[in-house]
Structures are given as C-alpha cells and as structure tokens.
Amino acid sequence: MRLCHRAVVALVDSHCHLADPAFDADRAAVLARARAAGVDAVVCVADGVAAAERCLELARAHPAAGAEAPLLAASAGLHPHQASDFGTATADALERLLADPRVVAVGETGLDYHYDRSPREAQREAFAWHLAAAARSGKPVVVHSREADDDTARLLRDAPAGLTGVLHCFSAGRAVLEAALARGLCVSWSGMVTFKSWDLAWALAAVPDERLLIETDAPYLAPVPHRGKRNEPAFVADTAARLAALRGTTPERLGELTAANARRLFRLG
C-alpha cells in the first residue's frame, strides 16, 4: 500500500471504536492511513467489558506513535445501551481495567433516551457509578448524552468533586453544555460538524479553546466527503478542517490546539 506524505500537524482522535469488528479485516491498514494523515494518537473507546479488554490489547500493542501506527490508549466503561448488564461483577471488572495505566478514561457512559435499549433507571445508576469512578480514579469520564438533557445535566452537577472528562460527539442542549462546562469538562466534535443539517454553532461558540477536542466516533459518523462510508481515524483531519473554518482559524492551529487538549486530558505520552 502506498501512503501519502504525512501531514505536518499532529492530530489526536479523541474517540474511536477501533476495537469494533468493523476494523477486524484491515485494522493495520487503517492505522497506517491514520499515521499518514498526521494522527499521532487515538483513544480507543469501549462500550462494555469485552470491548475494553480488546482496547487494552490494542493499547499494549501500540504504546507509542511509530512509522506505521499512532499511539493507542484505551478506555473502560459501559455504554448506556448496555446498562442493563451493570452490576457488581461488571463494576469489579471495570475497576480492574481502570487500574491499568494504558486505560486513560472511564466510559463511554451516559444516558440514551432515544433508543432506550436499557431501562432509564439502570442507565442513571450505571452513569452515576462511572462518574464516581472517574472522580475516584482521577481519569476523565467520556459522556454520551442523547435526548436525556435534564438527567445528564443533573447527574453531572451532582457528581463527586475532582471530576474531569469530555462530552463526546456533542449534540445535546444548553442545559447539558452548561453543566459540563461548569464542571470543567471538555467538549468534543465529530464529523457531524460537516453535515448540512448541523445547527449547533451556538454551542461551539460557547466552548473555550482549552476545552475543545475532535473525534471520529469511528466506525460511525464519517465526515463529508466520506459520508456514507465506514469512518476511520484518518478522517479526523476533515473534521479538523471544518471546525477550523467554523472557529475562524487554520487547520494547523486547530489541530495543534485540540491535540494539546487531548494529551492533557487523557495524559497521553
């Protein structure tokens, strides 16, 4: 495979489901393309215990950015879709995973009242545990919120002191944004900012430079001009370019800023 010249700017994909089976057939090539596109680090985000274990394996295999792959770091958590599975055994397994230094974040966790694949009370219980685990461990929480603004905002406000984290793939309302910013959380933007239907300029304007992150959420939400295809970490460059235009800056400056923020939040090497 012939790769393009690596970009000058070092990017960080702050949220990617790289352990997803969608990448099983060509994960090495995906990583090589990411590196060629200037991606120096990827946070491999889990949606359950088994996925967290796979993310950790990937992080162990790629502990630093090299010629063919970026640095990989892992998260450990339970997606709200799977909150019905939360219990003592799951909590214990996540605690063990969070003890590994290669696991740099708690989540993906939160609330999803759009699909309601788990009972809402189970979602709230699991989310509250993750928030407490994040504060206790000193590792940032990765928050998913969809059509659950009031409860997400309340649980963020009520979370223990010392919480850090990020609202990933922001698409929520004002209450969630205000609660997150008040607690010092970052806000991450995905390929949705390239969609014609995107209408959250008011939210983007409210996020200060030092709280700004970018992500792919791959294999989902591929940005224009890749929309309709499987998303992958290399495409974070397209999101960075669009976000730079929206912020009135250059892609180089936006990439530098968001990479520094991600490295600081997740304590990436």
Side-chain angles (χ1 to χ4, degrees):
M1 178 180 61
R2 189 171 182 270
L3 298 175
C4 62
H5 291 294
R6 185 170 176 269
V8 174
V9 178
L11 299 167
V12 174
D13 182 356
S14 68
H15 190 113
C16 175
H17 297 279
L18 193 61
D20 191 279
F23 296 113
D24 284 352
D26 63 343
R27 190 172 285 108
V30 166
L31 290 173
R33 286 193 293 270
R35 190 68 172 130
V39 179
D40 273 4
V42 177
V43 180
C44 305
V45 175
D47 60 5
V49 173
E53 291 170 343
R54 293 194 298 271
C55 287
L56 181 54
E57 289 176 5
L58 289 170
R60 286 171 173 159
H62 300 280
E68 294 299 324
L71 176 154
L72 302 183
S75 81
L78 196 68
H79 194 283
H81 288 343
Q82 301 184 40
S84 296
D85 297 335
F86 184 74
T88 301
T90 299
D92 289 347
L94 292 175
E95 289 279 16
R96 287 194 295 273
L97 287 159
L98 288 168
D100 193 297
R102 298 173 186 82
V103 176
V104 300
V106 180
E108 166 179 4
T109 181
L111 304 175
D112 193 311
Y113 293 174
H114 177 77
Y115 287 108
D116 277 330
R117 290 180 181 169
S118 287
R120 293 183 179 184
E121 183 55 39
Q123 292 187 48
R124 291 189 287 267
E125 178 184 356
F127 187 25
W129 181 90
H130 283 77
L131 292 169
R136 182 170 61 250
S137 67
K139 297 183 178 183
V141 65
V142 179
V143 178
H144 170 111
S145 181
R146 187 169 186 186
E147 297 179 19
D149 285 19
D150 289 346
D151 283 344
T152 300
R154 176 179 57 81
L155 286 163
L156 287 175
R157 288 194 298 266
D158 294 346
L163 184 72
T164 62
V166 55
L167 292 180
H168 110 86
C169 191
F170 183 79
S171 62
R174 205 171 295 272
V176 173
L177 184 65
E178 290 176 351
L181 292 177
R183 291 306 305 263
L185 270 64
C186 293
V187 182
S188 183
W189 305 89
S190 71
M192 288 195 297
V193 301
T194 70
F195 298 174
K196 289 182 179 179
S197 59
W198 185 79
D199 62 352
L200 293 172
W202 63 268
L204 180 60
V207 180
D209 281 355
E210 65 272 15
R211 306 277 190 87
L212 200 68
L213 297 182
I214 53 175
E215 64 173 271
T216 57
D217 200 18
Y220 317 107
L221 298 176
V224 175
H226 312 285
R227 195 170 184 187
K229 301 177 183 178
R230 180 194 66 179
N231 202 1
E232 60 179 72
F235 298 166
V236 76
D238 298 285
T239 298
R242 178 57 181 156
L243 204 62
L246 291 166
R247 296 283 285 198
T249 187
T250 65
E252 291 78 14
R253 171 61 182 146
L254 193 286
E256 179 182 82
L257 173 70
T258 54
N261 291 343
R263 289 184 177 280
R264 182 175 65 250
L265 177 66
F266 296 113
R267 301 177 186 176
L268 302 178

